[in-house]
């Protein structure tokens, strides 16, 4: 069931107004038996890569693009590390709106760029960072009747909070801990809204501790100041000046959790562990949540037996170059039985 069918009463979408939906939400919550046993906690992962364009951004884009339609916008625009542009392009195509996206040149995973292009968005690659791209689109939407669909747009968060609802509904309770990667800090803010709202409406007995994880080379919320040249293999969270940083920091701290950094090596270890031992292929940015979980259990912040949900924000198929670079590679052989038998069994 899409978030619209299931949670419309929680969303700012009046009846009778146009809705732009691709069936987002309803993503699997999958236990990780191997990692749970190793860490002594009960770990589940929320597979947000199962959304229509392969990331959680679709939950927010559904509401943001529906609102843009209702408000009569002629086009939507965003700055993006990749997934926002893929999602905006798809929802705009569905709505019959024009889409324009600004991306940092050379820093965006190949699958995401392909999506924006195939959906017919106008894609502009700038010689600059995500943060510079966002500054530019903010001026553009001030001057023209174009809707900004970055997570500065409050309707994005309204849609994304439904991830928290689904987790509570499926577990029959709130988890003890939520682990989530943090870039612009929109999604962790949205989960905080969702858990809080469910708690207030007495659908969940408590709010989980929220632990957000940034990449060590792009960790402004950990260091307390913007990062001029953010650098990480996890391109989706390569952000030096999070648009919703302050809101997210209070949400994480008030919940009893907090923010921490994980290194690229830890991220890639978690990425490979998920793929090789749990059968789950996610983006490197998504694996930051599991890398962070492993570190927090190690430091004693998460206790034995606690129920932990890690949000795996996007599918690994987005970044085929990184995936193949870290694998063993092809074995090339002639079509000869003996040679093949030897290669397979050796
Ligand atoms: C956008 C994105 C994030 C970061 O979300 P924020 O709301 O910017 O904190 C993490 N992982 C993936 C795969 C993303 O696309």
């Amino acid at each position: 069931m899409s978030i619209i069918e299931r949670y419309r009463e929680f969303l700012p979408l009046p009846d009778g107004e146009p809705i732009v939906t691709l069936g987002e939400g309803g993503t699997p919550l999958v236990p990780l038996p191997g990692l749970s046993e190793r860490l002594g906690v009960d770990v589940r992962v929320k597979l947000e890569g199962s959304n229509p364009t392969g990331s959680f951004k679709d939950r927010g884009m559904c509401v943001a693009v529906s609102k843009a339609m209702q408000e009569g916008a002629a086009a939507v625009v965003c700055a993006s590390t990749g997934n926002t542009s893929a999602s905006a392009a798809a929802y705009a195509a569905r709505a019959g709106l024009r889409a324009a996206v600004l991306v940092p040149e050379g820093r965006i995973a190949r699958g995401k760029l392909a999506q924006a292009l195939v959906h017919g968005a106008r894609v502009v690659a700038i010689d600059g960072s995500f943060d510079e791209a966002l500054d530019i689109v903010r001026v553009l939407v001030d001057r023209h009747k174009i809707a900004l669909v970055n997570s500065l747009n409050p309707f994005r968060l309204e849609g994304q909070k439904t991830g928290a609802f689904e987790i509570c509904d499926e577990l029959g309770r709130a988890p003890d801990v939520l682990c989530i990667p943090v870039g612009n800090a929109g999604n962790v803010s949205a989960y905080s809204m969702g858990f809080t709202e469910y708690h207030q409406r007495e659908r969940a007995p408590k709010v989980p501790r929220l632990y957000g994880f940034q990449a060590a080379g792009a960790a402004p919320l950990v260091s307390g100041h913007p990062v001029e040249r953010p650098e990480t293999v996890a391109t989706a969270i390569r952000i030096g000046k999070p648009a919703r940083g302050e809101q997210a920091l209070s949400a994480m701290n008030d919940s009893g959790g907090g923010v921490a950094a994980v290194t690229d090596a830890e991220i890639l270890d978690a990425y490979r562990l998920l793929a090789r031992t749990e059968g789950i292929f996610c983006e490197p940015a998504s694996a930051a949540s599991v890398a962070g979980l492993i570190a927090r259990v190690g430091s004693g912040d998460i206790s034995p037996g606690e129920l932990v949900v890690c949000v795996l924000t996007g599918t690994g198929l987005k970044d085929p170059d990184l995936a193949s670079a870290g694998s063993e590679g092809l074995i090339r052989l002639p079509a000869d039985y003996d040679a093949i038998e030897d290669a397979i069994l050796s």
Side-chain angles (χ1 to χ4, degrees):
M1 239 196 297
S2 80
I3 63 169
I4 298 293
E5 293 164 75
R6 198 165 173 193
Y7 298 117
R8 187 145 184 180
E9 61 180 298
F10 296 93
L11 298 172
L13 296 169
D15 284 335
E17 298 282 351
I19 295 289
V20 186
T21 174
L22 291 167
E24 52 293 315
T27 56
L29 187 64
V30 180
L32 299 187
L35 190 64
S36 297
E37 164 132 17
R38 181 181 133 196
L39 298 179
V41 294
D42 182 354
V43 188
R44 321 277 170 103
V45 285
K46 180 86 170 144
L47 299 186
E48 288 292 284
S50 300
N51 276 297
T53 77
S55 84
F56 73 84
K57 301 293 198 301
D58 295 342
R59 294 179 187 272
M61 211 51 78
C62 161
V63 180
V65 175
S66 296
K67 278 288 170 189
M69 286 282 281
Q70 292 169 17
E71 286 160 8
V76 299
V77 68
C78 64
S80 177
T81 59
N83 280 328
T84 302
S85 60
S87 188
Y91 282 77
R94 180 81 176 187
L97 295 175
R98 287 179 52 189
V101 307
L102 232 64
V103 298
E105 168 87 73
R107 302 298 194 159
I108 156 167
R110 196 148 51 91
K112 302 175 187 178
L113 200 53
Q115 286 178 288
L117 291 169
V118 82
H119 289 302
R122 187 155 297 184
V123 181
V124 181
I126 64 159
D127 178 16
S129 67
F130 167 85
D131 304 288
E132 290 170 286
L134 186 58
D135 289 342
I136 293 168
V137 295
R138 287 170 93 151
V139 177
L140 189 77
V141 298
D142 271 349
R143 297 191 180 164
H144 302 276
K145 204 171 161 48
I146 300 177
L148 179 70
V149 293
N150 278 101
S151 58
L152 283 168
N153 179 328
F155 300 119
R156 281 274 311 277
L157 270 55
E158 291 289 335
Q160 286 166 212
K161 75 185 179 187
T162 59
F165 297 167
E166 287 178 11
I167 291 171
C168 294
D169 284 339
E170 185 154 348
L171 295 173
R173 56 169 281 204
D176 299 309
V177 171
L178 185 90
C179 293
I180 185 167
V182 172
N184 250 317
N187 209 30
V188 64
S189 305
Y191 270 86
S192 167
M193 279 167 54
F195 284 122
T196 306
E197 197 169 333
Y198 244 37
H199 176 55
Q200 282 163 353
R201 296 218 199 178
E202 296 178 3
R203 300 223 180 177
K206 65 169 183 181
V207 174
R209 308 203 301 286
L210 303 173
Y211 283 102
F213 298 102
Q214 300 201 291
L221 297 182
V222 180
S223 67
H225 54 79
V227 176
E228 196 67 41
R229 283 191 192 74
E231 210 40 84
T232 169
V233 65
T235 52
I237 52 171
R238 192 170 165 275
I239 287 173
K241 209 172 62 180
R244 291 198 176 262
E246 280 178 29
Q247 175 182 0
L249 259 184
S250 341
M252 291 184 281
N253 291 333
D254 293 350
S255 74
V259 68
V262 284
T263 65
D264 277 9
E266 290 172 312
I267 289 173
L268 289 174
D269 278 351
Y271 170 84
R272 280 189 288 263
L273 174 126
L274 285 165
R276 300 213 172 181
T277 67
E278 304 282 2
I280 289 169
F281 185 26
C282 66
E283 282 196 42
S286 311
S289 63
V290 170
L293 163 67
I294 295 170
R296 291 298 99 193
V297 171
S299 65
D301 289 333
I302 299 173
S303 311
E306 287 199 296
L307 175 56
V308 181
V309 172
C310 296
V311 184
L312 297 186
T313 45
T315 167
L317 289 170
K318 298 267 188 178
D319 199 342
D321 301 316
L322 178 86
S324 351
S327 309
E328 277 162 30
L330 290 179
I331 302 166
R332 291 203 161 75
L333 287 175
D336 170 72
Y337 179 83
D338 290 332
I340 293 168
E341 185 188 61
D342 189 48
I344 290 174
L345 300 184
S346 70

